[in-house]
Amino acid sequence: MTDATITLRGVLAGQPSLFDDLQIPATLDRDTMIGRICMRCNNLRPLYPDGPYFQAAIGIWSKSRLEVWEELEKTRHYDYTPIHNYDRHETEQTIQDGTYKDDTEAGHTHTTDNTGKQVSTGSTDNTGSQNDSDVTDVGGFNTAGSNAPFDKQTLERTTTGHEDTQGTVDTTANEQQTAQDTETVNRKEDWQNDRELYAYGNIGVTSTQELIQQQRDVVMFNLYDVISEEFVDEFMLLIY
């Protein structure tokens, strides 16, 4: 068999391990994948008729495409409602746990001021009178020793005194009292707030019928076919 007439089936007959290096997403069945490629390419001429080289090329190519195929595979398993084009979830949780100390001291000062004044006034008035009387016999110088009569002289003295004493006592007292209250605030707060919102439906920009048709297109997506077609484009010569 010449290179011009060899097909994928012919290469596989001479190289049974041709697809041993093929890498595909883990969710796909390997036998199904190889069978789908063979069905699509059995009678097509391969770009590389040499079996070992073709096998190595398949391994390199599939490894470079594996990440893309895995992402495509994920799209087949999304959970959604086909006729809804609005699906919004919001979850919010706020937790506060801590001790708070207010270093600002609240002070209250009270001042009491008492002032008093006492005035006492007194007056003492003493008035006195004293009378003294003296009697003196007066005679002539030549009457000494005689029986001549003497003249009597009486001297009266009157002494009057007046004492007036006044006094004022002024007493002033000032009393001041000051009191201060100081308050320091310490508080502990523990609380949790949970909020959840779920909004969904058709917001009206697309009709429900259009959404259904789009879902039909999604259902028709087949990753086995996608990989098979890529294999044809990469390794087959489209010459019939």
Side-chain angles (χ1 to χ4, degrees), residues 15 17-23 48 50-63 235:
Q15 185 76 18
S17 62
L18 182 64
F19 291 104
D20 284 359
D21 297 333
L22 175 66
Q23 299 185 36
Y48 308 113
D50 179 69
Y53 186 87
F54 196 179
Q55 178 178 338
I58 291 175
I60 295 172
W61 164 76
S62 61
K63 183 177 180 180
F235 297 113

Side-chain angles (χ1 to χ4, degrees), residues 110-123:
H110 307 280
T111 301
T112 303
D113 193 352
N114 296 322
T115 302
K117 183 176 182 181
Q118 181 178 355
V119 179
S120 299
T121 302
S123 176

Side-chain angles (χ1 to χ4, degrees), residues 75-87:
T75 65
R76 299 173 57 243
H77 305 284
Y78 290 147
D79 184 15
Y80 63 95
T81 303
I83 60 174
H84 290 172
N85 57 11
Y86 187 79
D87 191 356

Side-chain angles (χ1 to χ4, degrees), residues 186-198:
N186 289 312
R187 68 181 188 274
K188 181 176 177 62
E189 296 183 357
D190 299 307
W191 56 272
Q192 176 175 322
N193 181 35
D194 296 321
R195 174 180 173 271
E196 184 173 355
L197 172 67
Y198 178 38

